[in-house]
């Protein structure tokens, strides 16, 4: 948690990572296809409440949109506590490192003043080059509504007959992505993404298809830095519809921890070590930020809302 802090110290009252974001509410409509994979009640046909948060993967609550390569979405589906499915997904198709220790090493190296710190990190973590390749070649979009969000981590789904599969999931946007350069995005202003998504959802609800990908035996389920082969079976299980942008300050996302180990019966963690590490880190972040009420909420410009 301390290694995540930017040079000026953590953004008090804010999430210690993905500190800049904007909250939303909507619905998740399950088509029922997911019941073949998991007995989770939120995958039975029907409509369930959704609460989520679009965000930037930075510990700087005032970062300009065009300076942050990776975006994220925290999501909670369901309302009764026994049924809740929480997830926190990112736009990158692979995680930069293969282990939680590797993530710590990355934070230490990128915060280090030692001239060789990053070079040494890259030498010790060859998987990082795949992420760099994505980061430098894949197009940016000018809207959260055009982004795809991926669980990256692998989870175990178990259906009503007791059959288990190891899966990952992604939210595929209905809005076609329009590529934009970071320079063009910068020209639109430091907080453009928040105003854009507010205006867009104000005009019409925005939707994403939730697609579950099922691993084959031997796939790297314990390593989110490794993509699975493109021919793996996928099952669209439902649609997330974002109906309303909610205030980030004092809104319904403020006091929620999108801990990826909060899963309903029918879903569980797998041999992927990240969710447990994330759960521990998110709890510390949550405890710290909720104990700093005097500093929360603030707008991204730094004023109180
Ligand atoms: C060991 C690795 C990781 C660490 C230490 C870490 C750390 C954190 C922390 C401290 C937060 C803020 C939690 C809060 O206060 O509520 C956070 C939020 C988040 N993380 Fe991670 N993270 C890790 C891996 C990942 C991975 C693999 C993903 C996605 C595939 C991810 C996606 C997100 C997202 C989307 C949020 C924002 C959720 C929200 O809006 O509240 N993280 N992370």
């Amino acid at each position: 948690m301390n290694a995540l802090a930017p040079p000026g110290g953590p953004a008090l009252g804010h999430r210690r990572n993905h500190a800049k974001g904007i909250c939303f509410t909507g619905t998740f409509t399950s088509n029922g296809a997911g019941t073949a994979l998991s007995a989770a009640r939120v995958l039975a046909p029907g409509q369930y409440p959704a609460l989520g948060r679009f965000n930037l993967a930075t510990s700087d609550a005032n970062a300009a949109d065009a300076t942050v390569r990776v975006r994220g979405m925290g999501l909670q589906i369901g309302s009764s506590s026994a049924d809740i499915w929480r997830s926190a997904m990112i736009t990158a198709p692979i995680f930069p490192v293969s282990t939680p220790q590797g993530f710590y090493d990355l934070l230490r190296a990128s915060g280090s003043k030692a001239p060789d710190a990053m070079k040494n990190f890259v030498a010790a973590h060859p998987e990082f080059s795949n992420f760099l390749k994505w980061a430098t070649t894949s197009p940016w979009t000018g809207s959260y509504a055009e982004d795809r969000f991926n669980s990256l981590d692998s989870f175990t789904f178990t259906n009503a007959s007791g059959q288990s599969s190891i899966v990952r999931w992604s939210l595929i946007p209905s809005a076609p992505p329009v590529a934009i350069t970071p320079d063009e995005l910068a020209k639109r202003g430091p907080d453009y993404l928040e105003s854009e998504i507010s205006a867009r959802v104000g005009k019409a609800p925005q939707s994403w298809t939730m697609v579950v990908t099922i691993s084959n035996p031997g796939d790297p389920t314990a390593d989110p830095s490794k993509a699975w082969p493109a021919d793996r079976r996928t099952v669209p299980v439902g649609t997330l519809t974002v109906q309303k942008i909610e205030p980030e300050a004092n809104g319904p996302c403020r006091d929620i921890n999108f801990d990826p180990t909060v899963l309903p019966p029918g879903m569980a963690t797998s041999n992927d070590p990240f969710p447990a590490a994330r759960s521990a880190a998110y709890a510390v972040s949550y405890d710290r930020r909720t104990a700093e009420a005097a500093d929360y909420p603030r707008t991204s410009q730094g004023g109180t809302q």
Side-chain angles (χ1 to χ4, degrees), residues 144-176:
Y144 285 120
E146 297 169 12
D147 285 334
R148 171 186 170 130
F149 298 95
N150 308 299
S151 78
L152 301 188
D153 284 319
S154 304
F155 295 85
T156 308
F157 275 14
T158 305
N159 66 16
S161 324
Q163 291 163 323
S164 292
S165 334
I166 309 290
V167 305
R168 292 172 173 172
W169 57 78
S170 296
L171 283 172
I172 319 278
S174 300

mmCIF file of all heavy atoms in Angstrom, residues 144-176:
data_model
loop_
_atom_site.group_PDB
_atom_site.id
_atom_site.type_symbol
_atom_site.label_atom_id
_atom_site.label_comp_id
_atom_site.label_asym_id
_atom_site.label_seq_id
_atom_site.Cartn_x
_atom_site.Cartn_y
_atom_site.Cartn_z
ATOM 1 N N TYR A 144 -15.104 6.170 -21.809
ATOM 2 C CA TYR A 144 -15.245 4.926 -21.052
ATOM 3 C C TYR A 144 -16.267 4.002 -21.725
ATOM 4 O O TYR A 144 -16.161 2.787 -21.636
ATOM 5 C CB TYR A 144 -15.739 5.217 -19.636
ATOM 6 C CG TYR A 144 -14.715 5.797 -18.683
ATOM 7 C CD1 TYR A 144 -14.903 7.046 -18.091
ATOM 8 C CD2 TYR A 144 -13.579 5.068 -18.337
ATOM 9 C CE1 TYR A 144 -13.997 7.562 -17.175
ATOM 10 C CE2 TYR A 144 -12.654 5.576 -17.414
ATOM 11 C CZ TYR A 144 -12.873 6.824 -16.839
ATOM 12 O OH TYR A 144 -11.966 7.331 -15.929
ATOM 13 N N ALA A 145 -17.263 4.605 -22.408
ATOM 14 C CA ALA A 145 -18.325 3.798 -23.035
ATOM 15 C C ALA A 145 -17.793 2.948 -24.179
ATOM 16 O O ALA A 145 -18.445 2.002 -24.612
ATOM 17 C CB ALA A 145 -19.452 4.702 -23.543
ATOM 18 N N GLU A 146 -16.600 3.290 -24.693
ATOM 19 C CA GLU A 146 -16.033 2.547 -25.835
ATOM 20 C C GLU A 146 -14.947 1.563 -25.398
ATOM 21 O O GLU A 146 -14.298 0.940 -26.231
ATOM 22 C CB GLU A 146 -15.443 3.551 -26.843
ATOM 23 C CG GLU A 146 -16.500 4.475 -27.433
ATOM 24 C CD GLU A 146 -15.893 5.639 -28.212
ATOM 25 O OE1 GLU A 146 -14.679 5.626 -28.489
ATOM 26 O OE2 GLU A 146 -16.653 6.578 -28.518
ATOM 27 N N ASP A 147 -14.764 1.441 -24.090
ATOM 28 C CA ASP A 147 -13.681 0.584 -23.597
ATOM 29 C C ASP A 147 -14.178 -0.809 -23.236
ATOM 30 O O ASP A 147 -15.302 -0.984 -22.762
ATOM 31 C CB ASP A 147 -13.033 1.218 -22.359
ATOM 32 C CG ASP A 147 -12.137 2.396 -22.719
ATOM 33 O OD1 ASP A 147 -11.624 2.414 -23.855
ATOM 34 O OD2 ASP A 147 -11.969 3.287 -21.870
ATOM 35 N N ARG A 148 -13.261 -1.762 -23.451
ATOM 36 C CA ARG A 148 -13.502 -3.137 -23.026
ATOM 37 C C ARG A 148 -12.797 -3.334 -21.680
ATOM 38 O O ARG A 148 -11.645 -2.916 -21.514
ATOM 39 C CB ARG A 148 -12.909 -4.080 -24.084
ATOM 40 C CG ARG A 148 -12.885 -5.524 -23.679
ATOM 41 C CD ARG A 148 -12.142 -6.356 -24.723
ATOM 42 N NE ARG A 148 -11.938 -7.695 -24.189
ATOM 43 C CZ ARG A 148 -12.248 -8.827 -24.837
ATOM 44 N NH1 ARG A 148 -12.726 -8.781 -26.062
ATOM 45 N NH2 ARG A 148 -12.055 -9.991 -24.271
ATOM 46 N N PHE A 149 -13.456 -3.972 -20.735
ATOM 47 C CA PHE A 149 -12.885 -4.184 -19.402
ATOM 48 C C PHE A 149 -12.747 -5.683 -19.152
ATOM 49 O O PHE A 149 -13.698 -6.441 -19.374
ATOM 50 C CB PHE A 149 -13.781 -3.543 -18.339
ATOM 51 C CG PHE A 149 -13.911 -2.041 -18.510
ATOM 52 C CD1 PHE A 149 -14.986 -1.494 -19.215
ATOM 53 C CD2 PHE A 149 -12.952 -1.183 -17.992
ATOM 54 C CE1 PHE A 149 -15.107 -0.116 -19.385
ATOM 55 C CE2 PHE A 149 -13.066 0.200 -18.165
ATOM 56 C CZ PHE A 149 -14.136 0.732 -18.854
ATOM 57 N N ASN A 150 -11.547 -6.101 -18.675
ATOM 58 C CA ASN A 150 -11.227 -7.528 -18.549
ATOM 59 C C ASN A 150 -10.912 -7.911 -17.102
ATOM 60 O O ASN A 150 -10.173 -7.191 -16.415
ATOM 61 C CB ASN A 150 -9.979 -7.826 -19.394
ATOM 62 C CG ASN A 150 -10.128 -7.315 -20.820
ATOM 63 O OD1 ASN A 150 -11.022 -7.744 -21.547
ATOM 64 N ND2 ASN A 150 -9.277 -6.385 -21.217
ATOM 65 N N SER A 151 -11.407 -9.068 -16.687
ATOM 66 C CA SER A 151 -11.122 -9.522 -15.305
ATOM 67 C C SER A 151 -9.653 -9.891 -15.151
ATOM 68 O O SER A 151 -9.094 -9.796 -14.060
ATOM 69 C CB SER A 151 -11.992 -10.726 -14.943
ATOM 70 O OG SER A 151 -11.489 -11.926 -15.527
ATOM 71 N N LEU A 152 -9.042 -10.362 -16.210
ATOM 72 C CA LEU A 152 -7.658 -10.864 -16.245
ATOM 73 C C LEU A 152 -7.438 -12.024 -15.277
ATOM 74 O O LEU A 152 -6.893 -13.051 -15.651
ATOM 75 C CB LEU A 152 -6.639 -9.751 -15.992
ATOM 76 C CG LEU A 152 -6.681 -8.587 -16.974
ATOM 77 C CD1 LEU A 152 -5.496 -7.667 -16.737
ATOM 78 C CD2 LEU A 152 -6.694 -9.039 -18.427
ATOM 79 N N ASP A 153 -7.822 -11.841 -14.032
ATOM 80 C CA ASP A 153 -7.689 -12.952 -13.090
ATOM 81 C C ASP A 153 -8.655 -14.070 -13.474
ATOM 82 O O ASP A 153 -9.692 -13.828 -14.100
ATOM 83 C CB ASP A 153 -7.970 -12.475 -11.661
ATOM 84 C CG ASP A 153 -6.794 -11.689 -11.108
ATOM 85 O OD1 ASP A 153 -5.652 -12.116 -11.344
ATOM 86 O OD2 ASP A 153 -7.025 -10.646 -10.464
ATOM 87 N N SER A 154 -8.285 -15.288 -13.078
ATOM 88 C CA SER A 154 -9.106 -16.471 -13.360
ATOM 89 C C SER A 154 -9.894 -16.863 -12.116
ATOM 90 O O SER A 154 -9.376 -16.778 -10.993
ATOM 91 C CB SER A 154 -8.203 -17.650 -13.733
ATOM 92 O OG SER A 154 -7.372 -17.305 -14.812
ATOM 93 N N PHE A 155 -11.118 -17.292 -12.336
ATOM 94 C CA PHE A 155 -12.000 -17.674 -11.233
ATOM 95 C C PHE A 155 -12.615 -19.037 -11.549
ATOM 96 O O PHE A 155 -12.619 -19.483 -12.709
ATOM 97 C CB PHE A 155 -13.104 -16.622 -11.045
ATOM 98 C CG PHE A 155 -12.562 -15.282 -10.610
ATOM 99 C CD1 PHE A 155 -12.084 -14.362 -11.538
ATOM 100 C CD2 PHE A 155 -12.496 -14.950 -9.261
ATOM 101 C CE1 PHE A 155 -11.553 -13.136 -11.139
ATOM 102 C CE2 PHE A 155 -11.966 -13.727 -8.850
ATOM 103 C CZ PHE A 155 -11.506 -12.810 -9.790
ATOM 104 N N THR A 156 -13.140 -19.695 -10.501
ATOM 105 C CA THR A 156 -13.785 -20.997 -10.673
ATOM 106 C C THR A 156 -15.299 -20.805 -10.673
ATOM 107 O O THR A 156 -15.850 -20.228 -9.731
ATOM 108 C CB THR A 156 -13.414 -21.942 -9.505
ATOM 109 O OG1 THR A 156 -11.993 -21.964 -9.386
ATOM 110 C CG2 THR A 156 -13.928 -23.343 -9.747
ATOM 111 N N PHE A 157 -15.946 -21.246 -11.732
ATOM 112 C CA PHE A 157 -17.408 -21.259 -11.784
ATOM 113 C C PHE A 157 -17.864 -22.706 -11.574
ATOM 114 O O PHE A 157 -17.305 -23.635 -12.188
ATOM 115 C CB PHE A 157 -17.912 -20.781 -13.160
ATOM 116 C CG PHE A 157 -18.027 -19.274 -13.299
ATOM 117 C CD1 PHE A 157 -17.443 -18.412 -12.375
ATOM 118 C CD2 PHE A 157 -18.741 -18.716 -14.366
ATOM 119 C CE1 PHE A 157 -17.551 -17.029 -12.509
ATOM 120 C CE2 PHE A 157 -18.861 -17.328 -14.505
ATOM 121 C CZ PHE A 157 -18.270 -16.490 -13.584
ATOM 122 N N THR A 158 -18.880 -22.914 -10.736
ATOM 123 C CA THR A 158 -19.427 -24.254 -10.511
ATOM 124 C C THR A 158 -20.931 -24.214 -10.724
ATOM 125 O O THR A 158 -21.622 -23.366 -10.132
ATOM 126 C CB THR A 158 -19.082 -24.747 -9.081
ATOM 127 O OG1 THR A 158 -17.658 -24.670 -8.919
ATOM 128 C CG2 THR A 158 -19.548 -26.178 -8.862
ATOM 129 N N ASN A 159 -21.425 -25.113 -11.587
ATOM 130 C CA ASN A 159 -22.851 -25.072 -11.913
ATOM 131 C C ASN A 159 -23.662 -25.926 -10.927
ATOM 132 O O ASN A 159 -23.105 -26.559 -10.012
ATOM 133 C CB ASN A 159 -23.101 -25.459 -13.379
ATOM 134 C CG ASN A 159 -22.756 -26.916 -13.671
ATOM 135 O OD1 ASN A 159 -22.614 -27.736 -12.756
ATOM 136 N ND2 ASN A 159 -22.620 -27.232 -14.957
ATOM 137 N N ALA A 160 -24.972 -25.956 -11.137
ATOM 138 C CA ALA A 160 -25.865 -26.641 -10.184
ATOM 139 C C ALA A 160 -25.597 -28.135 -10.126
ATOM 140 O O ALA A 160 -25.920 -28.784 -9.119
ATOM 141 C CB ALA A 160 -27.325 -26.355 -10.563
ATOM 142 N N SER A 161 -24.997 -28.716 -11.179
ATOM 143 C CA SER A 161 -24.659 -30.147 -11.143
ATOM 144 C C SER A 161 -23.287 -30.399 -10.527
ATOM 145 O O SER A 161 -22.802 -31.537 -10.530
ATOM 146 C CB SER A 161 -24.656 -30.757 -12.553
ATOM 147 O OG SER A 161 -25.643 -30.217 -13.347
ATOM 148 N N GLY A 162 -22.632 -29.356 -10.090
ATOM 149 C CA GLY A 162 -21.328 -29.530 -9.438
ATOM 150 C C GLY A 162 -20.153 -29.549 -10.401
ATOM 151 O O GLY A 162 -19.021 -29.826 -9.993
ATOM 152 N N GLN A 163 -20.391 -29.227 -11.699
ATOM 153 C CA GLN A 163 -19.271 -29.195 -12.654
ATOM 154 C C GLN A 163 -18.584 -27.832 -12.591
ATOM 155 O O GLN A 163 -19.258 -26.798 -12.608
ATOM 156 C CB GLN A 163 -19.783 -29.396 -14.082
ATOM 157 C CG GLN A 163 -20.298 -30.795 -14.339
ATOM 158 C CD GLN A 163 -21.150 -30.829 -15.599
ATOM 159 O OE1 GLN A 163 -21.895 -29.889 -15.898
ATOM 160 N NE2 GLN A 163 -21.040 -31.919 -16.334
ATOM 161 N N SER A 164 -17.254 -27.867 -12.550
ATOM 162 C CA SER A 164 -16.491 -26.613 -12.432
ATOM 163 C C SER A 164 -15.717 -26.291 -13.698
ATOM 164 O O SER A 164 -15.279 -27.189 -14.420
ATOM 165 C CB SER A 164 -15.503 -26.712 -11.264
ATOM 166 O OG SER A 164 -16.210 -26.763 -10.055
ATOM 167 N N SER A 165 -15.562 -25.010 -13.960
ATOM 168 C CA SER A 165 -14.714 -24.513 -15.055
ATOM 169 C C SER A 165 -13.887 -23.369 -14.501
ATOM 170 O O SER A 165 -14.340 -22.644 -13.606
ATOM 171 C CB SER A 165 -15.527 -23.938 -16.218
ATOM 172 O OG SER A 165 -16.804 -24.477 -16.310
ATOM 173 N N ILE A 166 -12.696 -23.191 -15.071
ATOM 174 C CA ILE A 166 -11.891 -22.016 -14.728
ATOM 175 C C ILE A 166 -12.120 -20.988 -15.833
ATOM 176 O O ILE A 166 -11.933 -21.287 -17.017
ATOM 177 C CB ILE A 166 -10.395 -22.347 -14.625
ATOM 178 C CG1 ILE A 166 -10.150 -23.557 -13.720
ATOM 179 C CG2 ILE A 166 -9.617 -21.127 -14.135
ATOM 180 C CD1 ILE A 166 -10.395 -23.344 -12.269
ATOM 181 N N VAL A 167 -12.524 -19.793 -15.422
ATOM 182 C CA VAL A 167 -12.954 -18.788 -16.401
ATOM 183 C C VAL A 167 -12.293 -17.433 -16.142
ATOM 184 O O VAL A 167 -11.788 -17.172 -15.057
ATOM 185 C CB VAL A 167 -14.495 -18.596 -16.362
ATOM 186 C CG1 VAL A 167 -15.217 -19.923 -16.560
ATOM 187 C CG2 VAL A 167 -14.943 -17.940 -15.060
ATOM 188 N N ARG A 168 -12.336 -16.600 -17.175
ATOM 189 C CA ARG A 168 -12.092 -15.160 -17.061
ATOM 190 C C ARG A 168 -13.298 -14.490 -17.704
ATOM 191 O O ARG A 168 -14.038 -15.136 -18.442
ATOM 192 C CB ARG A 168 -10.814 -14.767 -17.812
ATOM 193 C CG ARG A 168 -9.542 -15.308 -17.177
ATOM 194 C CD ARG A 168 -8.320 -15.066 -18.068
ATOM 195 N NE ARG A 168 -7.084 -15.440 -17.392
ATOM 196 C CZ ARG A 168 -5.893 -15.481 -17.977
ATOM 197 N NH1 ARG A 168 -5.780 -15.180 -19.275
ATOM 198 N NH2 ARG A 168 -4.816 -15.811 -17.294
ATOM 199 N N TRP A 169 -13.495 -13.211 -17.423
ATOM 200 C CA TRP A 169 -14.616 -12.537 -18.095
ATOM 201 C C TRP A 169 -14.230 -11.149 -18.565
ATOM 202 O O TRP A 169 -13.256 -10.564 -18.090
ATOM 203 C CB TRP A 169 -15.852 -12.468 -17.192
ATOM 204 C CG TRP A 169 -15.653 -11.786 -15.882
ATOM 205 C CD1 TRP A 169 -15.590 -10.452 -15.644
ATOM 206 C CD2 TRP A 169 -15.482 -12.440 -14.606
ATOM 207 N NE1 TRP A 169 -15.402 -10.224 -14.310
ATOM 208 C CE2 TRP A 169 -15.334 -11.424 -13.639
ATOM 209 C CE3 TRP A 169 -15.455 -13.779 -14.183
ATOM 210 C CZ2 TRP A 169 -15.155 -11.696 -12.296
ATOM 211 C CZ3 TRP A 169 -15.270 -14.047 -12.832
ATOM 212 C CH2 TRP A 169 -15.125 -13.016 -11.910
ATOM 213 N N SER A 170 -14.999 -10.667 -19.538
ATOM 214 C CA SER A 170 -14.769 -9.331 -20.105
ATOM 215 C C SER A 170 -16.099 -8.666 -20.381
ATOM 216 O O SER A 170 -17.089 -9.340 -20.671
ATOM 217 C CB SER A 170 -14.017 -9.433 -21.441
ATOM 218 O OG SER A 170 -12.729 -9.963 -21.251
ATOM 219 N N LEU A 171 -16.102 -7.338 -20.305
ATOM 220 C CA LEU A 171 -17.258 -6.540 -20.720
ATOM 221 C C LEU A 171 -16.908 -5.907 -22.061
ATOM 222 O O LEU A 171 -15.936 -5.145 -22.165
ATOM 223 C CB LEU A 171 -17.546 -5.442 -19.696
ATOM 224 C CG LEU A 171 -18.236 -5.894 -18.414
ATOM 225 C CD1 LEU A 171 -18.272 -4.741 -17.407
ATOM 226 C CD2 LEU A 171 -19.660 -6.382 -18.688
ATOM 227 N N ILE A 172 -17.695 -6.249 -23.092
ATOM 228 C CA ILE A 172 -17.427 -5.746 -24.444
ATOM 229 C C ILE A 172 -18.401 -4.597 -24.718
ATOM 230 O O ILE A 172 -19.621 -4.792 -24.619
ATOM 231 C CB ILE A 172 -17.677 -6.847 -25.509
ATOM 232 C CG1 ILE A 172 -17.156 -8.201 -25.031
ATOM 233 C CG2 ILE A 172 -17.143 -6.430 -26.876
ATOM 234 C CD1 ILE A 172 -15.722 -8.459 -25.192
ATOM 235 N N PRO A 173 -17.886 -3.416 -25.071
ATOM 236 C CA PRO A 173 -18.782 -2.261 -25.235
ATOM 237 C C PRO A 173 -19.685 -2.388 -26.463
ATOM 238 O O PRO A 173 -19.254 -2.904 -27.496
ATOM 239 C CB PRO A 173 -17.814 -1.085 -25.399
ATOM 240 C CG PRO A 173 -16.566 -1.675 -25.955
ATOM 241 C CD PRO A 173 -16.476 -3.077 -25.386
ATOM 242 N N SER A 174 -20.912 -1.889 -26.337
ATOM 243 C CA SER A 174 -21.796 -1.807 -27.514
ATOM 244 C C SER A 174 -21.388 -0.641 -28.387
ATOM 245 O O SER A 174 -21.545 -0.691 -29.608
ATOM 246 C CB SER A 174 -23.252 -1.606 -27.091
ATOM 247 O OG SER A 174 -23.668 -2.666 -26.298
ATOM 248 N N ALA A 175 -20.883 0.421 -27.783
ATOM 249 C CA ALA A 175 -20.454 1.594 -28.568
ATOM 250 C C ALA A 175 -19.182 1.242 -29.310
ATOM 251 O O ALA A 175 -18.223 0.759 -28.707
ATOM 252 C CB ALA A 175 -20.213 2.778 -27.640
ATOM 253 N N PRO A 176 -19.158 1.472 -30.637
ATOM 254 C CA PRO A 176 -17.930 1.144 -31.382
ATOM 255 C C PRO A 176 -16.778 2.049 -30.940
ATOM 256 O O PRO A 176 -16.966 3.256 -30.815
ATOM 257 C CB PRO A 176 -18.304 1.404 -32.845
ATOM 258 C CG PRO A 176 -19.594 2.146 -32.818
ATOM 259 C CD PRO A 176 -20.208 2.033 -31.465
#
